[in-house]
Amino acid sequence: MNVIHIKSQSRNQLIDITRMVGDVVQQHSVQDGICIVFVPHTTAGVTVNENADPDVQRDILLGLERMACHADYHHCEGNSDAHLKASLMGSSQLIPVENGSLVLGTWQGIYFAEFDGPRQRRVIVQILNSTAGR
Amino acid sequence: MNVIHIKSQSRNQLIDITRMVGDVVQQHSVQDGICIVFVPHTTAGVTVNENADPDVQRDILLGLERMACHADYHHCEGNSDAHLKASLMGSSQLIPVENGSLVLGTWQGIYFAEFDGPRQRRVIVQILNSTAGR
Amino acid sequence: MNVIHIKSQSRNQLIDITRMVGDVVQQHSVQDGICIVFVPHTTAGVTVNENADPDVQRDILLGLERMACHADYHHCEGNSDAHLKASLMGSSQLIPVENGSLVLGTWQGIYFAEFDGPRQRRVIVQILNSTAGR
């Protein structure tokens, strides 16, 4: 069980963790398999999206804000939008591993999705060996 | 292949299946690996979110309702919102397994997400051993 | 690493890839395990939903359009809605494999979700053997 520690800086934030996840993959001897990124929080998630123009991350957060804001939430902590956004992004992501490295598209990065920061957060990274017959 | 049977009670409902999934994990001899929860339906999904205040579940359903309702759907069965919500939550979730138990955050529960109930539903649970080199 | 090549025909499109993914599963000797479908793009994703009435696919795209359109996006390429939709659907899906075949519900199909087509696209398919003790 590999744990990455993160400190988010604002209430809504997409934090690029691609290199940190890639480092965990490098430390394992798995050549072919899958990498699982799991977020053990309920007001944060994880997503895979563009790593080039930071405006994409800003726009994703803006779009989610418009979708998840709502006048009639009941939850007393006042962060129901964060819980909804976490479920929309998901608490886990899967990335293939080949030749000991993450198989990501040219423009793909892995983002920790903070929706109720700033906070100290954790991300769990697992690697499973592919034992598929060929 | 382990199957959990569920009976939903209303059209939209988040049903806590954490204990049922955990029981399946306990029955296996896998110490370290991942647990996969898969929903074989198209108007229901599965999500991981807060297990404490039931208002969070209510608010997630409310937020999804606002997002997915639409005046111009064509699908004759009139449940297009349910299909969209199912894809937004996803048909599967992954949870790490360590020392023979689910690794969930303190406030995390696994929820079957019903969007076109009440119905009899099934959930498939699989456990994969981690054979990753360390 | 199995790669499926797809050519999308319009900007927003759900393309049924169930048979192509099933063919990859058939070519492997894995009897029990999971199939992972991964999309290495940032303006497309993958989802599991109804394979019967094509209006469901149309309505899902319509609902996503309404959710993701926004007046104040900054990203210069003008396709921020596509990035957001990709994260909402997800870049990967998991489907159980039993007796050498995909375990999908009666009405479930696997859809490549194009949000910025028409384009040439790739889908990565992996199969992991279940080595879980029973």
Side-chain angles (χ1 to χ4, degrees), chain A residues 1 28-30 36 38-42 66-67 69-70 72-75 80 83 87 91-92 124 126-127 129, chain B residues 33-34 47-50 53 55-56 58-59 62-63 66-67 93-94 96 98 103 105 107-108 130-133:
Chain A
M1 194 76 38
H28 280 71
S29 63
V30 172
I36 292 130
F38 181 80
V39 170
H41 305 288
T42 59
R66 199 183 64 120
M67 285 164 50
C69 67
H70 196 285
D72 194 30
Y73 287 136
H74 281 204
H75 179 43
S80 289
H83 288 288
S87 276
S91 58
S92 64
I124 293 169
Q126 271 187 304
I127 300 153
N129 208 359
Chain B
I34 54 168
T47 193
V48 174
N49 217 298
E50 181 174 313
D53 181 358
D55 275 341
V56 171
R58 174 199 169 277
D59 289 353
L62 191 72
R66 199 183 64 120
M67 285 164 50
Q93 292 293 333
L94 270 175
E98 190 177 44
V103 178
W107 307 107
Q108 282 184 319
S130 169
T131 55

Side-chain angles (χ1 to χ4, degrees), chain C residues 60-130:
Chain C
I60 288 173
L61 293 176
L62 192 72
L64 286 172
E65 185 66 27
R66 199 182 64 119
M67 285 164 50
C69 68
H70 196 284
D72 194 31
Y73 287 136
H74 281 204
H75 180 42
C76 57
E77 294 182 16
N79 60 355
S80 290
D81 64 321
H83 288 288
L84 176 54
K85 291 172 186 172
S87 276
L88 290 172
M89 294 295 97
S91 58
S92 64
Q93 292 291 334
L94 271 175
I95 301 102
V97 172
E98 190 177 44
N99 299 326
S101 297
L102 291 170
V103 178
L104 286 166
T106 312
W107 307 108
Q108 283 184 319
I110 308 166
Y111 288 87
F112 178 83
E114 173 66 81
F115 299 121
D116 198 26
R119 294 203 199 192
Q120 291 283 354
R121 299 289 203 175
R122 290 180 304 132
V123 177
I124 294 169
V125 180
Q126 272 187 306
I127 300 152
L128 265 75
N129 209 358
S130 169

Side-chain angles (χ1 to χ4, degrees), chain A residues 12-70:
Chain A
N12 291 278
Q13 188 178 6
L14 292 178
I15 300 172
D16 190 339
I17 58 172
T18 314
R19 189 183 299 187
M20 285 180 278
V21 175
D23 285 349
V24 173
V25 174
Q26 299 282 342
Q27 288 156 21
H28 280 71
S29 63
V30 172
Q31 286 301 299
D32 295 290
I34 54 168
C35 174
I36 292 130
V37 182
F38 181 80
V39 170
H41 305 288
T42 59
T43 53
V46 57
T47 193
V48 173
N49 217 298
E50 181 175 313
N51 59 7
D53 181 358
D55 275 341
V56 171
Q57 295 141 46
R58 174 200 169 277
D59 289 353
I60 288 173
L61 293 176
L62 191 73
L64 285 171
E65 184 67 26
R66 199 183 64 120
M67 285 164 50
C69 67
H70 196 285

Side-chain angles (χ1 to χ4, degrees), chain C residues 5 16 36 52 87:
Chain C
H5 295 272
D16 190 340
I36 292 130
S87 276

